[in-house]
Amino acid sequence: PPRSTLFPYTTLFRSVTMALPNLPPDVAAPWILMTSRVTNWALVDSFQVQEFPLKVPSLHESTQFIQKQLGLVTEEELQLGEKLCAEMQCHPLWLQHAAAYIGTDVRRLGSTAVKTDLLRDYMTRCQKQERVFADARYEKMSDRYDNTLMTTLSLTMEKIRVAEKDEHAILWLNTLAFRRPFDIPESNFIRDTIVFGQEEECLQILRSVFGLSMDEQDHHSVHQSLNMLANYSMIRIEEGLISFHHLVGQVLMFQLRGEKKEESILRLIVQPLTRLPSSEFDRRRVEICKYWQHCLSYDQLIKAFSSCVGVRVNQDGLFNYPLEDTVKRFEKVLGACHQDTLATKLLCAVQYNKQ
């Protein structure tokens, strides 16, 4: 039977035409659209897409989850736990973030923790943050679902900055956002991170854009930051692989674009890849191709990486995504007669010939 791809999306994107370009380059139609909240998707019938609705957890099921995670016992604690679930719209990911946020305070305070106060405090912070995201700056958010999504992530990230005092963890989280939907070996991620810490251009970006340095950042410190992100349910690490929830990635990318930091993050990701041996580059070709598709939006990244990444990643013509967009961008940024433009045109012709 035809191969299918699970295809989950948040309400930030309601049209399949907006979503398809974000698919990995090696997938084949038909696709299955996994969705639990959005029921009206534009132009689904125009593509080989079958909708598959998922069951939304009930309020009772969600309350049981929070009760177990936080050890709620008293009637007042259970009532507040139920209220929290209602505020989080019973969404499993939001509840995981809430439980991780409150749970760190419960463990830190030990026997002195007053869980009712912690629950109230979290809900109050959520309400304040939601009002912030009602700002016109986030006008693309379509409803309260998106608002809650932004709120829970922002609260967790702020806690990591303030309580954990780990700005580097937020930076690693932002770089992971562009690595979806792949499970990344933790060893690869740490190695790439250490490598860009040795690049003067990357160090300059860290200082000027993010106000950070790589002083005292080594394999151990990066590993600790990743474990801390896992404790806050921002990532998952299993058997040496880092996985990243697609909704978390979408929101982080949305925020980075709004803050004009997407280009800087992409440069930090791609720069270390230019130093990979050919065998390692080929092994990670599908992953690197994903990053390159993001880079095509930025003229300076095209100029910096067209040869060492752009042409190289497409050289065997194995990927089934169209190269026309790459050719058009190369013509505009590099010129019609540039060697990388001509090489990509040749690859595009080979691709057409194979079809």
Side-chain angles (χ1 to χ4, degrees):
R3 181 176 48 163
S4 299
T5 298
L6 300 183
F7 189 63
Y9 258 81
T10 177
T11 53
L12 286 173
F13 301 112
R14 292 179 180 270
S15 170
V16 172
T17 55
M18 295 177 65
L20 289 178
N22 292 314
L23 286 169
D26 63 338
V27 300
W31 297 286
I32 297 176
L33 177 62
M34 308 289 285
T35 179
S36 61
R37 307 279 171 163
V38 182
T39 56
N40 297 317
W41 283 80
L43 301 177
V44 165
D45 294 337
S46 302
F47 296 88
Q48 297 183 61
V49 177
Q50 177 183 353
E51 291 181 89
F52 186 84
L54 297 176
K55 179 180 177 291
V56 178
S58 67
L59 181 59
H60 176 68
E61 291 169 333
S62 300
T63 305
Q64 284 185 319
F65 169 78
I66 287 294
Q67 178 185 2
K68 180 179 179 180
Q69 293 296 308
L70 299 180
L72 305 182
V73 177
T74 69
E75 184 66 26
E76 185 180 12
E77 289 174 352
L78 291 173
Q79 288 177 351
L80 287 170
E82 184 178 38
K83 183 179 179 181
L84 172 65
C85 293
E87 288 290 320
M88 297 292 103
Q89 303 172 62
C90 297
H91 194 292
L93 181 60
W94 313 161
L95 292 175
Q96 284 181 4
H97 288 159
Y101 185 107
I102 299 170
T104 56
D105 287 334
V106 171
R107 290 188 292 273
R108 177 175 56 84
L109 295 172
S111 60
T112 64
V114 181
K115 295 176 184 177
T116 52
D117 290 346
L118 295 176
L119 286 162
R120 289 193 184 94
D121 177 70
Y122 185 80
M123 286 186 281
T124 299
R125 290 176 183 272
C126 282
Q127 291 167 2
K128 289 181 179 178
Q129 194 64 50
E130 283 189 354
R131 288 195 290 271
V132 171
F133 289 137
D135 188 293
R137 185 162 65 100
Y138 294 97
E139 61 185 3
K140 290 185 179 179
M141 295 192 329
S142 56
D143 54 27
R144 187 169 176 268
Y145 176 86
D146 295 337
N147 205 326
T148 304
L149 182 157
M150 297 280 283
T151 295
T152 56
L153 289 182
S154 296
L155 288 180
T156 300
M157 290 170 69
E158 185 62 22
K159 183 156 189 140
I160 291 171
R161 287 191 183 98
V162 177
E164 305 291 346
K165 296 180 173 59
D166 196 342
E167 289 280 356
H168 285 87
I170 301 300
L171 179 64
W172 310 151
L173 188 66
N174 284 328
T175 63
L176 282 167
F178 292 91
R179 297 174 186 262
R180 299 172 300 120
F182 307 102
D183 289 341
I184 303 297
E186 184 181 8
S187 58
N188 282 0
F189 179 83
I190 293 177
R191 183 184 60 198
D192 291 349
T193 300
I194 299 303
V195 169
F196 83 58
Q198 299 168 353
E199 299 276 348
E200 182 55 40
E201 186 174 8
C202 292
L203 292 175
Q204 186 175 349
I205 290 173
L206 285 175
R207 289 190 295 266
S208 61
V209 179
F210 301 99
L212 298 173
S213 73
M214 287 295 288
D215 296 344
E216 301 181 3
Q217 290 295 309
D218 55 19
H219 287 74
H220 178 68
S221 60
V222 176
H223 175 73
Q224 281 188 317
S225 293
L226 292 174
N227 282 337
M228 189 263 294
L229 290 173
N231 290 337
Y232 277 95
S233 294
M234 300 298 271
I235 62 174
R236 179 178 294 179
I237 305 175
E238 292 182 345
E239 298 181 355
L241 294 176
I242 303 172
S243 58
F244 198 79
H245 198 287
H246 68 282
L247 292 180
V248 176
Q250 285 177 2
V251 172
L252 290 176
M253 290 169 66
F254 182 64
Q255 290 179 319
L256 287 168
R257 290 185 189 120
E259 296 170 359
K260 309 297 184 185
K261 293 181 179 179
E262 182 181 46
E263 182 176 356
S264 297
I265 289 290
L266 285 168
R267 188 176 287 272
L268 293 179
I269 294 172
V270 175
Q271 185 68 47
L273 303 177
T274 64
R275 293 181 174 272
L276 290 178
S278 296
S279 58
E280 179 74 2
F281 189 97
D282 291 340
R283 188 178 66 82
R284 298 175 62 179
R285 185 80 64 84
V286 175
E287 171 197 348
I288 296 170
C289 184
K290 176 75 171 181
Y291 310 147
W292 177 245
Q293 287 181 280
H294 288 295
C295 289
L296 286 174
S297 299
Y298 296 96
D299 293 0
Q300 294 305 315
L301 295 182
I302 291 175
K303 292 176 181 178
F305 301 120
S306 62
S307 297
C308 54
V309 177
V311 174
R312 190 178 174 193
V313 81
N314 293 303
Q315 63 187 7
D316 57 14
L318 292 178
F319 302 115
N320 66 353
Y321 74 91
L323 290 173
E324 293 94 328
D325 290 343
T326 303
V327 172
K328 290 177 182 177
R329 290 291 291 141
F330 277 18
E331 286 180 335
K332 180 180 178 181
V333 177
L334 303 175
C337 296
H338 191 280
Q339 62 180 9
D340 294 340
T341 306
L342 297 174
T344 307
K345 283 183 177 180
L346 177 60
L347 290 171
C348 192
V350 171
Q351 189 180 67
Y352 275 125
N353 187 53
K354 287 183 178 181
Q355 293 174 351

